[in-house]
Amino acid sequence: MQTHLRGRDMITTQEWTKDEIDTVLDVAFELKRQRALGISHASLRDKVLAMLFFFTSTRTRASFEAGIVQLGGHGAFIDSTTTQISHGDTAKEMGEIYGRYFDGIAIRQCDWGVGNQYIRDVAAASRVPVLNMQCDHFHPFQILADLMTIIEKKGDPRGLTINVSYAYAASYQKPMSVPISLILLMTRFGMNVRLTHPPEFNLMPQYVEQAKENARKARGSFEILDDFDAGFKDADIVYPKAWGCMLTTSDLQESAEISKKYTSWITDEQRMALAKPDAIYMHCLPADRNIEVTDGVIDGPQSVVYDEAENRLHVQKAVMALTM
Ligand code: CP
């Protein structure tokens, strides 16, 4: 267990050692247990977390706000449109100034080509930890919650096969932060990671290379497929979700046209039957129901989506308690 995490940023799990991530999971399980037993764990009394949002949220806002209060502190929700950011406050100024008011700064900034750099610029100027609530590259707390859920449902993740797959969605060009973060973290835990997507939906090559290296070091495996059905075959865990083809085109109309070629990439009962009989279905939510996934699957016995959503609370509390 690592005990020197005070002051650390969480921007991507890739910047934390495996021992440090094991510590987060250990603390998250302990805090989950204590909450179930009604045991108070107010280790962050009088501490305040800034929660700066440039993008909407159901789970992330609610779970960070509930989590910091359960730890004895307070969460200040800040909608970026109500600040002076659009009138000139820079990332450096936000880091310098909020770092003097608050004990931690959590940020969601998903704009393509902007979000990750913005969060890093705030972190460089901040004297307190900066927590990435999702950017254009990474969604670390979602993926920590996913790993916690896999361990709860399946035990030791080593040797399990996870299919991280594109799925069609009509709503909007979703960030690629979830699949990138999944291939980066699950390869470090010795899993057999399949990345399945049509050719236009490739992920950033530097992270694909990191995932390959992670898999080599952890004695797992990493492969890329382009056949939706093949991705499901004999998998222990299936995680099909939509993301945008931002590396292929920046034109929204063109990307919508490309996506329409893949309307058949929907997770239904027939696809689930290709996976192992005890396979679990995962999705970070929100899902485009009956477009990305049928009601029968997402509401069915193999779906663990609500446990995943709950575990956001526990892993976020663990990281706040360790770093703030
Ligand atoms: N999964 C997730 O991050 O949900 P929200 O976008 O609702 O926060």
Side-chain angles (χ1 to χ4, degrees):
M1 173 172 247
Q2 297 299 311
T3 54
H4 297 288
L5 297 170
R6 200 76 54 208
R8 285 282 295 279
D9 300 324
M10 172 56 87
I11 297 176
T12 165
T13 57
Q14 190 71 24
E15 290 165 356
W16 285 45
T17 67
K18 182 165 179 303
D19 273 358
E20 291 167 347
I21 291 167
D22 284 338
T23 300
V24 169
L25 292 169
D26 197 46
V27 173
F29 279 114
E30 178 58 24
L31 292 175
K32 185 171 186 175
R33 193 173 301 115
Q34 289 185 9
R35 180 165 162 75
L37 293 170
I39 298 170
S40 175
H41 40 259
S43 61
L44 294 184
R45 205 181 299 281
D46 301 329
K47 301 238 174 172
V48 187
L49 177 74
M51 304 188 308
L52 175 60
F53 280 85
F54 290 78
F55 197 77
T56 51
S57 166
T58 300
R59 282 146 290 270
T60 304
R61 176 191 172 174
S63 53
F64 265 102
E65 193 161 338
I68 185 71
V69 171
Q70 288 165 21
L71 290 168
H74 172 77
F77 172 70
I78 302 162
D79 174 343
S80 67
T81 63
T82 67
T83 70
Q84 300 277 33
I85 291 172
S86 66
H87 297 154
D89 279 330
T90 63
K92 180 181 176 195
E93 286 160 355
M94 296 303 286
E96 272 284 354
I97 295 165
Y98 276 14
R100 296 174 190 219
Y101 300 157
F102 297 104
D103 302 287
I105 306 171
I107 305 173
R108 169 169 279 196
Q109 173 32 302
C110 302
D111 291 346
W112 178 244
V114 174
N116 186 258
Q117 192 58 53
Y118 183 85
I119 292 174
R120 291 194 183 280
D121 289 345
V122 172
S126 169
R127 61 178 69 175
V128 299
V130 168
L131 309 180
N132 179 1
M133 297 194 292
Q134 190 181 17
C135 66
D136 50 338
H137 296 202
F138 308 117
H139 198 351
F141 293 100
Q142 179 62 55
I143 271 51
L144 288 167
D146 295 339
L147 181 56
M148 183 176 182
T149 308
I150 289 168
I151 292 168
E152 282 180 336
K153 304 294 178 191
K154 294 281 178 192
D156 186 344
R158 283 176 297 180
L160 294 174
T161 297
I162 181 169
N163 179 35
V164 177
S165 178
Y166 170 81
Y168 174 66
S171 51
Y172 73 106
Q173 286 269 87
K174 301 187 184 196
M176 55 176 76
S177 51
V178 168
I180 286 173
S181 301
L182 279 168
I183 64 167
L184 287 176
L185 188 60
M186 301 317 169
T187 47
R188 293 176 74 196
F189 280 75
M191 297 178 71
N192 299 317
V193 178
R194 275 181 204 156
L195 173 63
T196 309
H197 62 77
E200 300 93 336
F201 290 83
N202 51 319
L203 303 181
M204 290 173 203
Q206 67 270 34
Y207 300 131
V208 171
E209 288 309 309
Q210 271 180 352
K212 285 181 193 165
E213 181 63 10
N214 289 348
R216 191 188 62 74
K217 286 185 182 157
R219 300 180 197 282
S221 67
F222 178 74
E223 61 179 334
I224 301 178
L225 308 179
D226 61 5
D227 179 314
F228 191 55
D229 287 352
F232 282 82
K233 186 137 180 38
D234 295 327
D236 297 286
I237 300 140
V238 297
Y239 202 132
K241 79 167 296 294
W243 65 83
C245 53
M246 285 82 89
L247 291 176
T248 299
T249 179
S250 55
D251 183 276
L252 290 182
Q253 201 169 345
E254 189 184 357
S255 72
E257 287 305 315
I258 292 170
S259 299
K260 279 186 204 155
K261 292 198 286 181
Y262 302 107
T263 53
S264 64
W265 287 51
I266 175 171
T267 304
D268 57 16
E269 288 81 345
Q270 284 175 324
R271 262 67 185 249
M272 286 303 295
L274 298 171
K276 285 193 180 151
D278 62 349
I280 55 173
Y281 168 85
M282 301 185 78
H283 195 295
C284 55
L285 303 179
D288 285 21
R289 277 175 175 257
N290 300 308
I291 295 173
E292 272 184 287
V293 55
T294 61
D295 284 340
V297 170
I298 199 167
D299 295 328
Q302 289 168 283
S303 172
V304 298
V305 296
Y306 300 125
D307 292 318
E308 268 182 277
E310 177 184 339
N311 286 336
R312 293 290 305 275
L313 175 72
H314 307 301
V315 297
Q316 288 160 199
K317 285 169 69 179
V319 172
M320 286 191 283
L322 289 162
T323 61
M324 283 176 60

